[in-house]
Amino acid sequence: MIRSEAVEAAFRRVPRHLFVPAGTSIEEAYSADAAPPTKKDVEGQIISSVSAPFLQAQMLEQAQLHPGASVLEIGSGGYNAALIAEVVGPAGRVVSVDIDPDVTAWAREALDASGYGNRVETVCADAEHGLAGSSVFDAIIVTVGAWDIPPAWLTQLDHDGTLSVPLRMNGVTRSIAFARQADHLASTSAEVCGFVPMQGLGERRERVLQLPDGHGRYVRLRFDTGAPEDPNLLDGVLADMKVRVWSGVEFPNGVSFADLHLWNACFLPGFCKVAADEGTELAQDRKSWFPFGCVFIDSFAYLAVRPAMDGAGIEFGAGAYGPNGEQAAAAMVEQIQAWDRRARRGPVPTFGFWPDGSDRSHIPDHVALLEKHHGLVTVSWPRASRP
């Protein structure tokens, strides 16, 4: 993920082990994909962590920082702010804001201990409304999962600045670098990522449906949007016979198909994420499916896979439960095939954000539309057409 000398130099200089919890091994502290948690909620869910180095490098490169730049980081931890300080240099300005006083206290302590305390300003506040009295920034880097882009961020972003944000789109997240284009934002790059969700006014809670298996265990369906109007129709659905429908769409091992999930998030009605307790039928067959699905009236389907290409790849399909399981599976398979025909081999998708008040008459007809509180997100696969 490191593509520039400036970002490489920052990673070589900043001592990451001083920013992780006590007792973290050196191997974990410097592992490229480890994200040591720094705080959990009362239910044991991680609400703050030191992001994995590969994600931090990815977002630093996306932001295209330069010496002397002013940068606002939304979501503190200390380490990433220190990396930013190295990239922008002594003439730059770095402000790191977090809603949680425990997190900002942790960040200040680690920054002081590592010698960056006088190069990073830490602020405890809800960034939904921006920073009172602060000027505009050349870049805003959001290090928590955001469901929306509030107006304050655009107000405090310089006209030629870059906003890098892990944006959640119907449950699927991409780290997107946005630049202004007339009255809206257009993506300059996008990468697969995962972040703990934002807290405060910008928080967006998923709706969770728990489907009991009759033995004290559950399959959980998580909806970002589009939850069923009558979830009671799914009562007892796991008792129905499971069906599977295969798409004929094959994919070689070792090649990412993450854009299939994004396609389904945009175009598959009733799209949701799926999780299964240990001991459920789904959990016992965990290697044959991925945690994405859809609801169709009184039934639900999930993304299934089976070996293909003489063991060198997989075939996509759908498993389903419920009286209308075959229709639910068919709906998912239809979108798998649509993605394969219209988007799989084309250019990567691009993204736009059209804030409230922008001229939406310029939005192309072929894009996916995702409504937010403060605007509209568009997702476009070049040469693809809406299913």
Side-chain angles (χ1 to χ4, degrees), residues 80-318:
N80 193 63
L83 293 172
I84 295 170
E86 280 289 349
V87 176
V88 302
R93 180 190 180 206
V94 183
V95 180
S96 182
V97 59
D98 199 284
I99 193 173
D100 192 326
D102 292 337
V103 173
T104 52
W106 169 282
R108 288 192 193 104
E109 183 178 344
L111 287 163
D112 288 340
S114 59
Y116 289 91
N118 63 345
R119 298 178 62 179
V120 177
E121 178 186 355
T122 55
V123 178
C124 184
D126 189 336
E128 181 78 3
H129 296 309
L131 296 183
S134 186
S135 58
V136 297
F137 293 87
D138 297 307
I140 298 177
I141 300 178
V142 184
T143 62
V144 288
W147 187 81
D148 203 353
I149 298 177
W153 297 1
L154 302 184
T155 299
Q156 295 201 281
L157 182 66
D158 185 75
H159 180 76
D160 295 322
T162 299
L163 169 65
S164 297
V165 54
L167 188 61
R168 197 168 91 219
M169 297 163 286
N170 202 10
V172 176
T173 303
R174 292 291 184 271
S175 172
I176 306 175
F178 283 112
R180 295 186 192 272
Q181 189 173 96
D183 62 352
H184 67 282
L185 301 178
S187 65
T188 57
S189 68
E191 302 282 357
V192 176
C193 71
F195 280 85
V196 296
M198 182 169 288
Q199 302 177 55
L201 293 175
E203 181 180 14
R204 170 79 174 195
R205 290 187 177 271
E206 295 176 320
R207 183 176 177 185
V208 182
L209 299 185
Q210 297 193 122
L211 309 179
D213 72 347
H215 304 285
R217 298 174 292 261
Y218 296 89
V219 171
R220 293 175 174 83
L221 309 183
R222 307 180 70 92
F223 296 86
D224 193 52
T225 59
E229 293 183 4
D230 186 359
N232 294 326
L233 292 175
L234 291 166
D235 288 349
V237 68
L238 296 181
D240 285 294
M241 183 177 297
K242 180 173 64 175
V243 299
R244 288 199 174 182
V245 178
W246 298 102
S247 67
V249 176
E250 297 180 345
F251 217 80
N253 292 333
V255 179
S256 173
F257 47 85
D259 281 346
L260 170 61
H261 307 321
L262 180 63
W263 177 277
N264 283 334
C266 290
F267 297 122
L268 180 61
F271 180 82
C272 60
K273 292 186 291 185
V274 182
D277 287 350
E278 292 297 333
T280 58
E281 182 182 26
L282 268 180
Q284 294 170 7
D285 200 20
R286 198 175 297 278
K287 292 184 178 181
S288 69
W289 59 281
F290 287 92
F292 300 94
C294 69
V295 167
F296 181 83
I297 309 175
D298 54 3
S299 306
F300 85 94
Y302 58 89
L303 181 62
V305 293
R306 65 180 178 183
M309 305 172 68
D310 295 326
I314 56 174
E315 180 186 1
F316 293 112

Side-chain angles (χ1 to χ4, degrees), residues 338-354:
W339 167 76
D340 182 59
R341 292 192 309 270
R342 304 175 185 178
R344 173 181 171 184
R345 298 168 185 83
V348 297
T350 57
F351 304 85
F353 181 75
W354 302 74

